Amino acid sequence: MSRRTAGIGRAWKTGWMELTVVLGDITKQRVDAVVNAANNAMRGGGGVDGAIHRAGGPAILSDCIARFPDGLATGDAGWTTAGALPSRWVIHTVGPNYRAGQRDRALLVSCYRRCLEVADDLGAVSIAFPLISAGVYGWPKEDAIAAAVETLTSTPTQVQAARLVAFDQPTFDQISSRLQG
């Protein structure tokens, strides 16, 4: 069941949390943790990764270098400071690169699950996700949305509020439609 949430988008209550779809900028989300769709090297990049590093400042890169000297495996997640972002933490996850032949959906699902596990370890109660792997990594958008919604609505967690942040109106509409069932 959906309801309009003033200034945010549309929200659905799952067994564990409220899942909201938001049209906006991931770097401006006021939540405990924002999720970064990172690359394996954990040194910044393009897309969401570049935007988070630019908005959060050098503290994020410095923490990535210290915490992940060898990078992070595809499907895994880890956290750093959020630097100048309005959140407390950045949870970095490495999605599969569909264009490079990484097409195992279990890796994409693992990104969302691992982010929730890291959020639980941190005590985060609110989290904002981009649509992982659906940008430059080329995961088909409809399946990327399905994987995100299915995983976030079925994974037990202490997180009370999760947001899927859509960068554009068509993606917002697709996510909303998927959440409506």
Side-chain angles (χ1 to χ4, degrees):
M1 187 138 315
S2 72
R3 65 178 170 79
R4 204 69 177 141
T5 305
I8 293 183
R10 295 185 178 186
W12 289 262
K13 185 72 176 165
T14 71
W16 293 278
M17 73 177 98
E18 182 175 79
L19 178 58
T20 306
V21 59
V22 179
L23 178 61
D25 180 342
I26 191 88
T27 68
K28 298 191 183 317
Q29 301 303 306
R30 293 192 178 279
V31 291
D32 293 332
V34 294
V35 172
N36 179 20
N39 58 47
N40 294 99
M42 303 292 293
R43 301 299 181 260
V48 169
D49 194 20
I52 284 176
H53 278 266
R54 282 189 302 278
I60 296 174
L61 179 57
S62 178
D63 211 6
C64 280
I65 292 168
R67 290 179 186 276
F68 309 105
D70 299 320
L72 198 60
T74 302
D76 202 1
W79 67 275
T80 65
T81 181
L85 295 173
S87 58
R88 186 168 177 189
W89 301 287
V90 174
I91 299 175
H92 305 266
T93 190
V94 180
N97 187 334
Y98 193 89
R99 287 193 174 110
Q102 294 178 327
R103 298 184 177 184
D104 182 356
R105 191 174 194 257
L107 290 171
L108 182 57
V109 168
S110 178
C111 290
Y112 290 98
R113 283 196 180 125
R114 285 289 299 131
C115 286
L116 290 174
E117 289 170 3
V118 171
D120 285 345
D121 290 345
L122 292 168
V125 295
S126 60
I127 187 170
F129 288 88
L131 199 52
I132 299 166
S133 289
V136 297
Y137 280 7
W139 201 276
K141 193 178 284 186
E142 188 173 308
D143 191 50
I145 291 168
V149 170
E150 289 165 12
T151 307
L152 293 174
T153 58
S154 67
T155 302
T157 181
Q158 298 302 306
V159 172
Q160 296 172 15
R163 294 180 190 168
L164 281 169
V165 182
F167 186 72
D168 59 32
Q169 189 67 50
T171 303
F172 174 88
D173 293 342
Q174 284 181 281
I175 296 170
S176 294
S177 182
R178 178 69 188 201
L179 284 167
Q180 290 174 359

